[in-house]
Amino acid sequence: EAQVTQNPRYLITVTGKKLTVTCSQNMNHEYMSWYRQDPGLGLRQIYYSMNVEVTDKGDVPEGYKVSRKEKRNFPLILESPSPNQTSLYFCASSKRDNQPQHFGDGTRLSIL
Amino acid sequence: GNSVTQMEGPVTLSEEAFLTINCTYTATGYPSLFWYVQYPGEGLQLLLKATKADDKGSNKGFEATYRKETTSFHLEKGSVQVSDSAVYFCALMNYGGSQGNLIFGKGTKLSVKP
């Protein structure tokens, strides 16, 4: 089954403790992306990747890092999480950047 | 810059009512337009898309027409069902160089009552 898998689905942690949210897709997609969803703000793109070793900033990259060492994986790294990063995060992928994106089920992060 | 504005919700309708969710956009060039749907507790799913002016996207009884003259992409359905209750997002993607940014509206929550 074609899917985008994020882990964990839920996480409560404390300020400053590094965390990584993993994202994996099994569709051999070139394009992958991370979004955060906040009430009243909709979805905003954090980072995206056009292909392996090619990443670029979206609209709200501050406080986040990503890497794309393999085609299927696109982890989101919060080196020093802060409470304003409490949000619902979605990973997405598509065959190329101009194709509709497939979304994961989301990761709800709470930073205390 | 690029932006998407959609009507604020929540929208509450009775089953079999007609649905319109307005969406307008601002973009340079010729973006592709999308509607995504998010059911409770789930990720976003592509509902329909249109890639050029006057294209009509349709799926599951929903339709939207890409209107360049009014920069709009309104979502419509003739007869909604309880199972259509969800949050609907209008989005655009503009292409140029290596740009791959999908811009979303803030979402419109639809509740359909039996």
Side-chain angles (χ1 to χ4, degrees):
Chain A
E1 181 189 346
Q3 57 187 4
V4 177
T5 304
Q6 300 177 222
N7 278 297
R9 293 291 314 278
Y10 304 92
L11 178 65
I12 301 173
T13 188
V14 295
T15 299
K17 186 176 180 183
K18 180 179 178 180
L19 67 92
T20 299
V21 185
T22 63
C23 175
S24 179
Q25 49 91 6
N26 62 359
M27 296 168 278
N28 201 37
H29 284 170
E30 290 182 359
Y31 179 91
M32 297 186 74
S33 181
W34 276 102
Y35 299 87
R36 59 178 288 174
Q37 182 179 14
D38 300 291
L41 296 175
L43 277 88
R44 295 175 293 168
Q45 192 176 50
I46 303 170
Y47 268 95
Y48 63 94
S49 170
M50 304 288 276
N51 213 325
V52 175
E53 302 291 3
V54 180
T55 64
D56 209 344
K57 296 177 180 178
D59 293 323
V60 288
E62 294 79 20
Y64 304 94
K65 285 174 59 177
V66 293
S67 69
R68 189 89 182 276
K69 294 187 172 62
E70 308 162 282
K71 200 170 191 179
R72 63 184 294 127
N73 295 323
F74 190 47
L76 179 70
I77 303 155
L78 285 72
E79 293 272 4
S80 183
S82 62
N84 64 11
Q85 293 177 298
T86 292
S87 187
L88 179 58
Y89 291 85
F90 288 100
C91 180
S93 74
S94 59
K95 194 164 185 174
R96 277 178 286 280
D97 66 331
N98 60 352
Q99 300 293 311
Q101 295 180 27
H102 298 254
F103 283 77
D105 287 337
T107 296
R108 188 166 290 281
L109 289 184
S110 294
I111 316 293
L112 304 178
Chain B
N2 300 319
S3 67
V4 174
T5 303
Q6 58 182 107
M7 62 188 287
E8 292 193 20
V11 174
T12 303
L13 296 174
S14 298
E15 209 164 20
E16 298 184 6
F18 185 87
L19 168 72
T20 300
I21 301 179
N22 290 337
C23 171
T24 57
Y25 67 90
T26 302
T28 55
Y30 304 95
S32 289
L33 302 174
F34 307 88
W35 276 101
Y36 282 84
V37 58
Q38 184 180 31
Y39 298 103
E42 298 183 14
L44 278 73
Q45 302 172 28
L46 178 67
L47 182 60
L48 53 85
K49 67 171 183 172
T51 57
K52 61 183 188 298
D54 299 325
D55 266 3
K56 178 187 279 189
S58 60
N59 185 23
K60 300 180 182 179
F62 291 88
E63 292 182 341
T65 301
Y66 188 146
R67 300 276 187 214
K68 193 162 169 49
E69 63 276 13
T70 54
T71 61
S72 65
F73 193 54
H74 305 321
L75 182 69
E76 296 181 335
K77 186 174 186 183
S79 177
V80 293
Q81 305 301 312
V82 173
S83 57
D84 294 326
S85 297
V87 181
Y88 292 82
F89 292 92
C90 185
L92 73 81
M93 182 175 275
N94 222 340
Y95 310 112
S98 62
Q99 186 62 265
N101 199 350
L102 190 63
I103 308 293
F104 285 89
K106 294 182 179 179
T108 303
K109 183 175 182 179
L110 171 66
S111 295
V112 181
K113 307 272 186 230

